[in-house]
Amino acid sequence: MTAGLIYFIPTEEHKTKCPPELLAEFMLEGIIENPRVAHLHAGPNGKPGLLVIENVTGRMKPPQYHADRQSWRQSLDTEAWIGFEGDRPPSIAVLAREHQLPG
């Protein structure tokens, strides 16, 4: 089980790491600083890509995709998807950012 948010980045390339430019392309720079990834043949959009989590401890297991136990929504700004464990929605502390947007 993964605590916090899980991100899915669609990509046809099989990657074992998530380079900074890929995070930037999907507007995740500054959100994910120490990525832990897992390649998927089919993510929440049914296409291949990377599951990405923040590797808080430096020793976290790779994220896993469980369509039946996770809630997923597509980003409004990119083709990325944002998910969480179905019974563990993110807390305000997880969602809060150092620089908040007005509104």
XYZ file of all heavy atoms in Angstrom:
811
model
N 0.831 -1.180 0.000
C 0.000 0.000 0.000
C 0.878 1.246 0.000
O 1.865 1.319 0.699
C -0.876 -0.017 1.242
C -2.271 0.388 0.974
S -3.227 0.307 2.500
C -4.746 -0.155 1.811
N 0.505 2.211 -0.777
C 1.266 3.444 -0.885
C 0.559 4.551 -0.118
O -0.624 4.768 -0.296
C 1.393 3.856 -2.363
O 2.013 2.798 -3.071
C 2.215 5.105 -2.514
N 1.305 5.227 0.739
C 0.736 6.374 1.452
C 0.919 7.610 0.589
O 1.881 7.731 -0.144
C 1.438 6.547 2.786
N -0.006 8.533 0.677
C 0.112 9.761 -0.087
C -0.364 9.599 -1.514
O -1.107 8.680 -1.851
N 0.079 10.495 -2.367
C -0.364 10.513 -3.753
C 0.518 9.650 -4.642
O 1.704 9.497 -4.402
C -0.371 11.947 -4.283
C -1.383 12.875 -3.611
C -1.185 14.299 -4.080
C -2.800 12.410 -3.895
N -0.106 9.108 -5.678
C 0.570 8.304 -6.693
C 0.334 9.023 -8.013
O -0.774 9.490 -8.282
C -0.039 6.891 -6.783
C -0.213 6.267 -5.405
C 0.810 6.002 -7.695
C -1.173 5.091 -5.381
N 1.349 9.124 -8.823
C 1.216 9.791 -10.118
C 1.464 8.781 -11.228
O 2.332 7.915 -11.109
C 2.222 10.941 -10.237
C 2.031 11.980 -9.169
C 2.711 11.895 -7.959
C 1.143 13.030 -9.344
C 2.520 12.836 -6.960
C 0.943 13.975 -8.344
C 1.639 13.871 -7.159
O 1.443 14.787 -6.172
N 0.700 8.894 -12.307
C 0.900 8.065 -13.489
C 1.255 8.988 -14.643
O 0.507 9.923 -14.948
C -0.357 7.262 -13.833
C -0.209 6.478 -15.103
C 0.529 5.310 -15.136
C -0.787 6.931 -16.275
C 0.685 4.598 -16.319
C -0.645 6.237 -17.459
C 0.099 5.065 -17.480
N 2.408 8.728 -15.253
C 2.882 9.505 -16.394
C 2.850 8.599 -17.614
O 3.590 7.612 -17.670
C 4.313 10.017 -16.155
C 4.343 10.964 -14.955
C 4.848 10.699 -17.409
C 5.736 11.403 -14.565
N 2.007 8.890 -18.595
C 1.962 8.043 -19.783
C 3.238 8.195 -20.615
O 3.687 9.311 -20.863
C 0.737 8.538 -20.548
C 0.477 9.909 -20.034
C 1.049 9.976 -18.655
N 3.826 7.092 -20.977
C 5.006 7.088 -21.836
C 5.139 5.713 -22.463
O 4.893 4.702 -21.802
C 6.294 7.472 -21.088
O 7.407 7.413 -21.989
C 6.578 6.579 -19.905
N 5.498 5.671 -23.721
C 5.689 4.402 -24.425
C 7.047 3.788 -24.067
O 7.242 2.597 -24.221
C 5.599 4.616 -25.940
C 4.229 5.064 -26.412
C 3.174 3.974 -26.324
O 3.515 2.785 -26.447
O 2.004 4.325 -26.125
N 7.984 4.627 -23.611
C 9.325 4.147 -23.296
C 9.326 3.384 -21.976
O 8.715 3.817 -21.009
C 10.297 5.318 -23.191
C 10.473 6.100 -24.468
C 11.410 7.259 -24.265
O 12.453 7.094 -23.607
O 11.084 8.348 -24.761
N 10.045 2.278 -21.960
C 10.203 1.507 -20.729
C 11.331 2.154 -19.932
O 12.477 2.121 -20.341
C 10.525 0.041 -21.033
C 10.572 -0.798 -19.803
N 9.474 -1.504 -19.377
C 11.541 -1.023 -18.905
C 9.788 -2.150 -18.261
N 11.039 -1.865 -17.962
N 11.012 2.774 -18.828
C 12.004 3.469 -18.013
C 12.044 2.866 -16.617
O 11.033 2.418 -16.099
C 11.664 4.957 -17.891
C 11.703 5.716 -19.204
C 11.354 7.172 -18.969
C 11.396 7.962 -20.241
N 12.711 8.304 -20.693
N 13.225 2.893 -16.025
C 13.372 2.451 -14.642
C 13.614 3.648 -13.723
O 13.627 3.493 -12.519
C 14.526 1.452 -14.496
O 15.725 2.061 -14.987
C 14.245 0.170 -15.262
N 13.805 4.815 -14.324
C 13.974 6.056 -13.560
C 13.110 7.129 -14.196
O 12.696 7.016 -15.334
C 15.439 6.487 -13.557
C 16.333 5.494 -12.859
C 17.723 6.025 -12.695
C 18.533 4.930 -12.031
N 19.396 5.380 -11.030
N 12.848 8.162 -13.444
C 12.039 9.273 -13.942
C 12.934 10.511 -13.993
O 13.178 11.138 -12.969
C 10.845 9.498 -13.030
S 9.654 10.644 -13.715
N 13.432 10.866 -15.185
C 14.337 12.012 -15.284
C 13.623 13.325 -14.989
O 12.409 13.444 -15.193
C 14.832 11.948 -16.732
C 13.825 11.146 -17.463
C 13.197 10.215 -16.469
N 14.360 14.318 -14.513
C 13.761 15.617 -14.170
C 12.974 16.241 -15.316
O 11.935 16.865 -15.092
C 14.965 16.484 -13.789
C 16.028 15.519 -13.405
C 15.792 14.285 -14.213
N 13.453 16.082 -16.550
C 12.729 16.686 -17.677
C 11.355 16.036 -17.882
O 10.416 16.697 -18.327
C 13.561 16.673 -18.967
C 14.168 15.373 -19.354
C 15.491 15.027 -18.664
O 16.027 15.803 -17.862
O 15.977 13.922 -18.928
N 11.204 14.761 -17.546
C 9.899 14.111 -17.645
C 8.960 14.652 -16.556
O 7.787 14.916 -16.805
C 10.039 12.595 -17.557
C 8.785 11.780 -17.864
C 8.289 12.042 -19.285
C 9.061 10.294 -17.680
N 9.493 14.826 -15.348
C 8.691 15.431 -14.275
C 8.253 16.836 -14.669
O 7.101 17.217 -14.461
C 9.492 15.480 -12.967
C 9.778 14.142 -12.298
C 10.700 14.333 -11.104
C 8.504 13.444 -11.883
N 9.159 17.608 -15.263
C 8.830 18.970 -15.684
C 7.768 18.973 -16.775
O 6.850 19.798 -16.761
C 10.086 19.688 -16.161
N 7.875 18.042 -17.728
C 6.897 17.964 -18.815
C 5.476 17.775 -18.287
O 4.510 18.290 -18.842
C 7.262 16.813 -19.751
C 6.311 16.632 -20.899
C 6.676 15.440 -21.781
O 7.821 14.952 -21.725
O 5.785 14.989 -22.520
N 5.357 17.039 -17.170
C 4.043 16.758 -16.592
C 3.760 17.605 -15.346
O 2.897 17.271 -14.546
C 3.908 15.262 -16.313
C 3.788 14.458 -17.568
C 4.911 13.910 -18.170
C 2.562 14.301 -18.188
C 4.799 13.196 -19.355
C 2.447 13.593 -19.360
C 3.564 13.039 -19.949
N 4.505 18.703 -15.205
C 4.300 19.681 -14.141
C 4.417 19.079 -12.739
O 3.685 19.445 -11.820
C 2.954 20.389 -14.327
C 2.860 21.107 -15.670
S 1.245 21.823 -16.031
C 1.157 23.077 -14.785
N 5.349 18.134 -12.572
C 5.553 17.498 -11.276
C 6.872 17.895 -10.621
O 7.194 17.412 -9.545
C 5.482 15.966 -11.414
C 4.117 15.420 -11.811
C 4.202 13.934 -12.112
C 3.092 15.701 -10.727
N 7.641 18.785 -11.271
C 8.872 19.243 -10.644
C 8.508 20.049 -9.405
O 7.517 20.766 -9.393
C 9.745 20.055 -11.616
C 9.247 21.444 -11.909
C 8.149 21.545 -12.960
O 7.604 20.534 -13.421
O 7.813 22.669 -13.320
N 9.261 19.872 -8.353
C 8.942 20.532 -7.088
C 7.932 19.770 -6.262
O 7.802 20.006 -5.075
N 7.202 18.856 -6.877
C 6.255 18.001 -6.151
C 6.927 16.667 -5.851
O 6.851 16.146 -4.749
C 4.962 17.796 -6.969
C 4.236 19.138 -7.123
C 4.059 16.758 -6.312
C 3.053 19.103 -8.058
N 7.594 16.118 -6.850
C 8.353 14.872 -6.699
C 9.827 15.237 -6.783
O 10.314 15.645 -7.830
C 8.000 13.859 -7.813
C 6.524 13.514 -7.798
C 8.868 12.622 -7.705
C 6.095 12.648 -6.644
N 10.541 15.101 -5.678
C 11.963 15.437 -5.662
C 12.845 14.198 -5.672
O 13.967 14.230 -6.167
C 12.268 16.310 -4.463
C 11.558 17.659 -4.559
C 11.796 18.541 -3.359
O 12.636 18.187 -2.502
O 11.137 19.584 -3.275
N 12.357 13.105 -5.102
C 13.113 11.855 -5.038
C 12.194 10.737 -5.533
O 11.599 10.015 -4.738
C 13.583 11.605 -3.599
C 14.480 10.399 -3.489
O 15.052 9.936 -4.469
N 14.610 9.877 -2.285
N 12.040 10.602 -6.861
C 11.033 9.672 -7.386
C 11.390 8.202 -7.209
O 12.541 7.805 -7.309
C 10.950 10.029 -8.866
C 12.243 10.694 -9.181
C 12.730 11.313 -7.917
N 10.369 7.422 -6.934
C 10.437 5.956 -6.964
C 9.430 5.551 -8.020
O 8.275 5.996 -7.986
C 10.064 5.377 -5.598
C 10.161 3.882 -5.504
C 11.632 3.454 -5.470
N 11.731 2.110 -4.952
C 12.314 1.116 -5.626
N 12.848 1.328 -6.797
N 12.362 -0.079 -5.107
N 9.831 4.739 -8.997
C 8.968 4.469 -10.137
C 8.755 2.979 -10.364
O 9.507 2.142 -9.890
C 9.528 5.098 -11.441
C 9.733 6.586 -11.275
C 10.801 4.421 -11.869
N 7.708 2.690 -11.112
C 7.431 1.339 -11.611
C 6.831 1.497 -13.000
O 5.952 2.343 -13.207
C 6.453 0.607 -10.691
N 7.319 0.718 -13.955
C 6.778 0.762 -15.311
C 5.521 -0.099 -15.377
O 5.474 -1.189 -14.819
C 7.803 0.243 -16.314
C 7.290 0.218 -17.715
N 7.226 1.350 -18.494
C 6.769 -0.778 -18.455
C 6.707 1.035 -19.662
N 6.412 -0.251 -19.659
N 4.489 0.415 -16.058
C 3.237 -0.335 -16.234
C 2.971 -0.538 -17.718
O 3.242 0.349 -18.526
C 2.048 0.445 -15.666
C 1.985 0.695 -14.182
C 0.734 1.486 -13.851
C 1.996 -0.603 -13.415
N 2.405 -1.683 -18.051
C 1.966 -1.924 -19.434
C 0.615 -1.255 -19.677
O 0.286 -0.911 -20.802
C 1.897 -3.420 -19.727
C 3.248 -4.062 -19.701
N 4.182 -3.860 -20.682
C 3.828 -4.869 -18.792
C 5.285 -4.534 -20.397
N 5.097 -5.147 -19.246
N -0.158 -1.084 -18.598
C -1.467 -0.416 -18.712
C -1.798 0.254 -17.379
O -1.987 -0.420 -16.380
C -2.548 -1.419 -19.089
N -1.862 1.581 -17.401
C -2.194 2.354 -16.205
C -3.664 2.714 -16.183
O -4.487 2.082 -16.861
N -4.029 3.762 -15.429
C -5.447 4.127 -15.312
C -6.085 4.549 -16.632
O -7.299 4.501 -16.766
C -5.447 5.282 -14.307
C -4.041 5.705 -14.158
C -3.172 4.599 -14.605
N -5.289 4.924 -17.616
C -5.818 5.289 -18.931
C -5.775 4.123 -19.915
O -6.122 4.272 -21.075
C -5.057 6.485 -19.508
C -3.595 6.168 -19.770
O -3.090 5.110 -19.387
N -2.906 7.092 -20.408
N -5.327 2.941 -19.435
C -5.245 1.755 -20.279
C -4.000 1.708 -21.153
O -3.838 0.789 -21.949
N -3.109 2.681 -21.000
C -1.895 2.762 -21.814
C -0.658 2.606 -20.939
O -0.722 2.759 -19.724
C -1.868 4.095 -22.555
C -3.029 4.248 -23.516
C -2.989 5.567 -24.213
C -4.193 5.677 -25.158
N -4.267 6.972 -25.793
N 0.508 2.336 -21.554
C 1.733 2.176 -20.767
C 2.223 3.492 -20.182
O 1.890 4.573 -20.678
C 2.734 1.615 -21.779
C 2.214 1.970 -23.114
C 0.728 2.096 -22.980
N 3.019 3.370 -19.123
C 3.599 4.550 -18.508
C 4.309 4.224 -17.210
O 4.590 3.062 -16.914
N 4.577 5.266 -16.438
C 5.285 5.132 -15.168
C 4.383 5.515 -14.011
O 3.710 6.547 -14.054
C 6.495 6.072 -15.130
C 7.686 5.758 -15.994
C 8.747 6.850 -15.816
C 8.261 4.411 -15.668
N 4.400 4.691 -12.974
C 3.826 5.088 -11.690
C 4.959 5.758 -10.933
O 6.077 5.243 -10.896
C 3.368 3.875 -10.886
C 2.006 3.292 -11.146
C 1.709 2.213 -10.127
C 0.918 4.322 -11.133
N 4.682 6.891 -10.306
C 5.712 7.643 -9.610
C 5.191 8.054 -8.238
O 4.068 8.549 -8.116
C 6.109 8.913 -10.399
C 7.253 9.637 -9.706
C 6.468 8.586 -11.833
N 6.026 7.850 -7.219
C 5.732 8.335 -5.870
C 6.950 9.075 -5.350
O 8.055 8.907 -5.865
C 5.354 7.203 -4.885
C 6.484 6.178 -4.766
C 4.036 6.552 -5.270
C 6.296 5.162 -3.647
N 6.746 9.885 -4.334
C 7.856 10.527 -3.647
C 8.471 9.484 -2.718
O 7.782 8.913 -1.874
C 7.371 11.739 -2.846
C 8.450 12.420 -2.046
C 9.549 13.035 -2.900
O 9.250 13.593 -3.971
O 10.715 12.949 -2.482
N 9.754 9.217 -2.889
C 10.472 8.223 -2.090
C 10.936 8.887 -0.796
O 12.099 9.224 -0.624
C 11.648 7.670 -2.897
C 12.255 6.434 -2.269
O 11.789 5.945 -1.250
N 13.302 5.947 -2.882
N 9.997 9.081 0.111
C 10.224 9.856 1.329
C 11.376 9.296 2.158
O 12.235 10.039 2.607
C 8.930 9.906 2.182
C 9.164 10.667 3.466
C 7.810 10.543 1.382
N 11.415 8.001 2.358
C 12.434 7.411 3.227
C 13.700 7.032 2.478
O 14.712 6.742 3.100
C 11.892 6.129 3.902
O 11.663 5.143 2.896
C 10.623 6.407 4.674
N 13.643 7.012 1.147
C 14.797 6.553 0.377
C 14.824 5.039 0.238
O 15.662 4.491 -0.468
N 13.908 4.351 0.915
C 13.874 2.888 0.877
C 12.471 2.351 0.565
O 12.162 1.204 0.863
C 14.328 2.316 2.220
C 15.730 2.702 2.618
C 16.173 2.038 3.914
N 15.195 2.145 4.987
C 15.185 3.091 5.918
N 16.076 4.019 5.918
N 14.272 3.096 6.862
N 11.642 3.185 -0.010
C 10.268 2.770 -0.276
C 10.215 1.759 -1.418
O 11.013 1.821 -2.352
C 9.399 3.979 -0.598
C 9.247 4.904 0.598
S 8.230 6.344 0.254
C 6.620 5.594 0.184
N 9.269 0.847 -1.328
C 9.053 -0.128 -2.392
C 8.474 0.582 -3.608
O 7.828 1.627 -3.475
C 8.080 -1.211 -1.927
C 8.630 -2.077 -0.836
C 7.610 -3.120 -0.431
C 8.158 -3.972 0.697
N 7.184 -4.958 1.149
N 8.670 0.015 -4.800
C 8.072 0.624 -5.993
C 6.553 0.687 -5.850
O 5.936 -0.181 -5.248
C 8.462 -0.331 -7.131
C 9.636 -1.079 -6.624
C 9.457 -1.170 -5.130
N 5.940 1.729 -6.404
C 4.483 1.831 -6.329
C 3.823 0.721 -7.135
O 4.430 0.159 -8.054
C 4.201 3.203 -6.944
C 5.377 3.499 -7.799
C 6.542 2.814 -7.161
N 2.595 0.416 -6.779
C 1.825 -0.612 -7.489
C 0.495 -0.030 -7.926
O -0.069 0.827 -7.257
C 1.603 -1.831 -6.603
C 2.882 -2.528 -6.226
C 2.616 -3.774 -5.383
O 1.507 -4.013 -4.931
N 3.641 -4.558 -5.188
N 0.003 -0.537 -9.045
C -1.286 -0.098 -9.576
C -2.334 -1.153 -9.285
O -2.173 -2.321 -9.628
C -1.171 0.143 -11.083
C -2.480 0.507 -11.732
C -3.148 1.667 -11.381
C -3.042 -0.312 -12.701
C -4.355 2.016 -11.975
C -4.239 0.025 -13.310
C -4.887 1.186 -12.936
O -6.082 1.516 -13.525
N -3.412 -0.739 -8.603
C -4.537 -1.622 -8.283
C -5.820 -0.864 -8.617
O -6.327 -0.090 -7.797
C -4.543 -2.012 -6.807
C -3.309 -2.730 -6.374
N -3.068 -4.036 -6.686
C -2.228 -2.303 -5.665
C -1.907 -4.405 -6.179
N -1.377 -3.371 -5.562
N -6.329 -1.062 -9.816
C -7.511 -0.325 -10.278
C -8.698 -0.486 -9.331
O -9.490 0.439 -9.166
C -7.897 -0.779 -11.687
N -8.807 -1.648 -8.705
C -9.956 -1.914 -7.833
C -9.819 -1.308 -6.438
O -10.803 -1.205 -5.719
C -10.185 -3.420 -7.726
C -8.990 -4.165 -7.155
O -7.844 -3.696 -7.330
O -9.188 -5.220 -6.531
N -8.613 -0.877 -6.056
C -8.396 -0.349 -4.708
C -7.916 1.095 -4.681
O -7.670 1.632 -3.606
C -7.367 -1.214 -3.971
C -7.812 -2.621 -3.730
C -6.925 -3.353 -2.745
N -5.523 -3.015 -2.773
C -4.543 -3.881 -2.985
N -4.812 -5.142 -3.213
N -3.296 -3.492 -2.966
N -7.734 1.690 -5.837
C -7.230 3.056 -5.893
C -8.215 3.954 -6.644
O -8.937 3.495 -7.516
C -5.862 3.092 -6.592
C -4.792 2.357 -5.800
C -3.534 2.117 -6.611
O -3.575 2.031 -7.831
N -2.419 1.982 -5.917
N -8.212 5.217 -6.278
C -9.013 6.221 -6.975
C -8.069 7.044 -7.846
O -7.016 7.476 -7.378
C -9.704 7.144 -5.970
O -10.630 6.417 -5.197
N -8.473 7.260 -9.100
C -7.633 7.978 -10.058
C -8.416 9.081 -10.755
O -9.587 8.890 -11.085
C -7.086 7.021 -11.115
C -6.054 6.096 -10.566
C -6.261 4.857 -10.027
C -4.660 6.346 -10.470
N -5.073 4.326 -9.597
C -4.071 5.225 -9.861
C -3.845 7.410 -10.840
C -2.699 5.137 -9.627
C -2.494 7.323 -10.600
C -1.939 6.190 -9.993
N -7.745 10.209 -10.994
C -8.308 11.322 -11.756
C -7.232 11.855 -12.683
O -6.069 11.984 -12.278
C -8.755 12.471 -10.841
C -9.811 12.096 -9.836
C -11.163 11.897 -10.501
N -12.195 11.590 -9.548
C -12.535 10.376 -9.151
N -11.906 9.329 -9.600
N -13.517 10.197 -8.298
N -7.635 12.215 -13.894
C -6.671 12.795 -14.817
C -6.428 14.252 -14.448
O -7.353 14.979 -14.070
C -7.155 12.713 -16.257
C -6.081 13.186 -17.225
C -6.439 12.923 -18.670
O -7.514 12.434 -18.984
N -5.523 13.264 -19.548
N -5.182 14.670 -14.554
C -4.810 16.057 -14.308
C -5.571 16.969 -15.264
O -5.821 16.606 -16.414
C -3.299 16.223 -14.520
O -2.947 17.574 -14.607
N -5.912 18.143 -14.807
C -6.590 19.112 -15.664
C -5.624 19.762 -16.651
O -6.038 20.267 -17.682
C -7.258 20.196 -14.821
C -8.364 19.723 -13.889
C -8.859 20.883 -13.039
C -9.500 19.103 -14.669
N -4.336 19.755 -16.324
C -3.350 20.482 -17.117
C -2.499 19.612 -18.035
O -1.897 20.117 -18.970
C -2.407 21.252 -16.187
C -3.158 22.248 -15.322
O -4.078 22.902 -15.839
O -2.827 22.361 -14.134
N -2.382 18.318 -17.742
C -1.505 17.433 -18.512
C -2.183 16.085 -18.711
O -3.292 15.859 -18.238
C -0.155 17.210 -17.793
O -0.368 16.363 -16.657
C 0.494 18.514 -17.364
N -1.496 15.181 -19.360
C -1.992 13.814 -19.554
C -1.679 12.910 -18.353
O -1.990 11.730 -18.371
C -1.378 13.212 -20.826
C -1.810 13.913 -22.103
C -3.300 13.762 -22.362
O -3.824 12.643 -22.234
O -3.942 14.779 -22.681
N -1.054 13.467 -17.319
C -0.742 12.694 -16.112
C -2.024 12.369 -15.350
O -3.052 13.035 -15.518
C 0.210 13.468 -15.212
N -1.955 11.343 -14.529
C -3.064 10.955 -13.660
C -2.590 11.026 -12.217
O -1.417 10.790 -11.929
C -3.516 9.531 -13.988
C -4.247 9.426 -15.288
C -3.717 9.590 -16.539
C -5.623 9.133 -15.464
N -4.689 9.422 -17.484
C -5.868 9.127 -16.858
C -6.666 8.863 -14.592
C -7.122 8.870 -17.392
C -7.916 8.598 -15.123
C -8.128 8.608 -16.506
N -3.504 11.329 -11.302
C -3.195 11.421 -9.880
C -4.094 10.437 -9.153
O -5.304 10.416 -9.376
C -3.440 12.848 -9.364
C -2.610 13.841 -10.179
C -3.114 12.948 -7.869
C -3.030 15.281 -9.993
N -3.480 9.620 -8.285
C -4.253 8.600 -7.589
C -3.899 8.505 -6.121
O -2.927 9.092 -5.649
N -4.718 7.748 -5.405
C -4.463 7.438 -4.000
C -5.200 6.157 -3.654
O -6.102 5.732 -4.373
C -4.895 8.595 -3.084
C -6.354 8.940 -3.158
C -7.280 8.316 -2.331
C -6.814 9.894 -4.057
C -8.633 8.636 -2.401
C -8.159 10.222 -4.127
C -9.066 9.590 -3.301
N -4.772 5.548 -2.554
C -5.444 4.347 -2.070
C -6.887 4.724 -1.753
O -7.139 5.741 -1.101
C -4.754 3.788 -0.833
C -3.328 3.341 -1.063
C -3.181 2.172 -2.020
O -4.136 1.369 -2.169
O -2.112 2.060 -2.641
N -7.848 3.927 -2.221
C -9.265 4.251 -2.113
C -9.756 4.568 -0.726
O -10.611 5.428 -0.546
N -9.209 3.911 0.292
C -9.667 4.140 1.657
C -8.766 5.121 2.413
O -8.937 5.330 3.587
C -9.754 2.811 2.419
C -8.408 2.111 2.528
O -7.466 2.471 1.789
O -8.294 1.188 3.351
N -7.789 5.708 1.710
C -6.855 6.622 2.362
C -6.650 7.887 1.522
O -5.577 8.084 0.966
C -5.521 5.908 2.583
C -5.660 4.700 3.494
C -4.399 3.925 3.583
N -3.353 4.743 4.195
C -2.100 4.362 4.263
N -1.710 3.228 3.754
N -1.208 5.139 4.829
N -7.668 8.740 1.408
C -7.485 9.970 0.623
C -6.383 10.823 1.243
O -6.124 10.747 2.443
C -8.843 10.656 0.688
C -9.553 10.041 1.820
C -8.981 8.670 2.030
N -5.733 11.643 0.442
C -4.635 12.466 0.959
C -5.126 13.492 1.973
O -6.219 14.031 1.846
C -4.079 13.148 -0.290
C -5.180 13.084 -1.285
C -5.977 11.858 -0.969
N -4.289 13.735 2.966
C -4.621 14.723 3.989
C -4.321 16.129 3.469
O -3.654 16.306 2.447
C -3.789 14.461 5.250
O -2.424 14.723 4.966
N -4.777 17.104 4.194
C -4.495 18.492 3.833
C -2.987 18.733 3.844
O -2.459 19.430 2.990
C -5.226 19.457 4.784
C -6.728 19.356 4.527
C -4.728 20.887 4.625
C -7.578 20.133 5.495
N -2.281 18.129 4.792
C -0.825 18.299 4.868
C -0.140 17.770 3.609
O 0.823 18.353 3.124
C -0.284 17.589 6.100
N -0.645 16.671 3.042
C -0.072 16.113 1.821
C -0.385 17.017 0.629
O 0.450 17.221 -0.249
C -0.598 14.681 1.563
C -0.238 14.185 0.180
C -0.065 13.732 2.621
N -1.586 17.568 0.602
C -2.002 18.402 -0.518
C -1.416 19.803 -0.480
O -1.237 20.433 -1.521
C -3.530 18.502 -0.544
C -4.271 17.201 -0.813
C -5.756 17.415 -0.661
C -3.923 16.640 -2.172
N -1.100 20.311 0.708
C -0.585 21.674 0.850
C 0.795 21.788 0.227
O 1.616 20.882 0.291
C -0.522 22.059 2.327
N 1.044 22.900 -0.405
C 2.321 23.194 -1.042
C 2.931 24.418 -0.365
O 2.217 25.261 0.195
C 2.142 23.465 -2.537
C 1.541 22.309 -3.280
C 2.585 21.219 -3.466
N 1.995 20.044 -4.047
C 2.006 18.836 -3.509
N 2.573 18.651 -2.361
N 1.469 17.828 -4.121
N 4.229 24.532 -0.456
C 4.927 25.663 0.153
C 4.396 26.985 -0.401
O 4.188 27.935 0.347
C 6.423 25.549 -0.124
C 7.237 26.633 0.533
C 8.722 26.434 0.333
O 9.160 25.301 0.081
O 9.439 27.444 0.412
N 4.154 27.060 -1.695
C 3.632 28.263 -2.328
C 2.221 27.960 -2.823
O 2.029 27.273 -3.818
C 4.523 28.695 -3.495
C 5.937 28.951 -3.067
N 6.297 30.060 -2.333
C 7.056 28.223 -3.240
C 7.580 30.015 -2.097
N 8.076 28.920 -2.623
N 1.233 28.483 -2.120
C -0.165 28.238 -2.456
C -0.615 29.160 -3.580
O -0.140 30.291 -3.708
C -1.052 28.490 -1.231
C -0.743 27.596 -0.051
C -1.098 26.153 -0.320
O -2.167 25.870 -0.821
N -0.213 25.246 0.022
N -1.536 28.673 -4.394
C -2.138 29.489 -5.431
C -3.290 30.288 -4.822
O -3.983 29.793 -3.931
C -2.660 28.606 -6.560
C -1.611 27.804 -7.316
C -2.297 26.852 -8.289
C -0.662 28.716 -8.029
N -3.504 31.507 -5.264
C -4.627 32.278 -4.712
C -5.955 31.648 -5.069
O -6.094 31.020 -6.112
C -4.470 33.656 -5.355
C -3.596 33.446 -6.542
C -2.771 32.226 -6.281
N -6.960 31.846 -4.206
C -8.298 31.351 -4.494
C -8.603 30.234 -3.647
O -9.232 29.422 -3.393
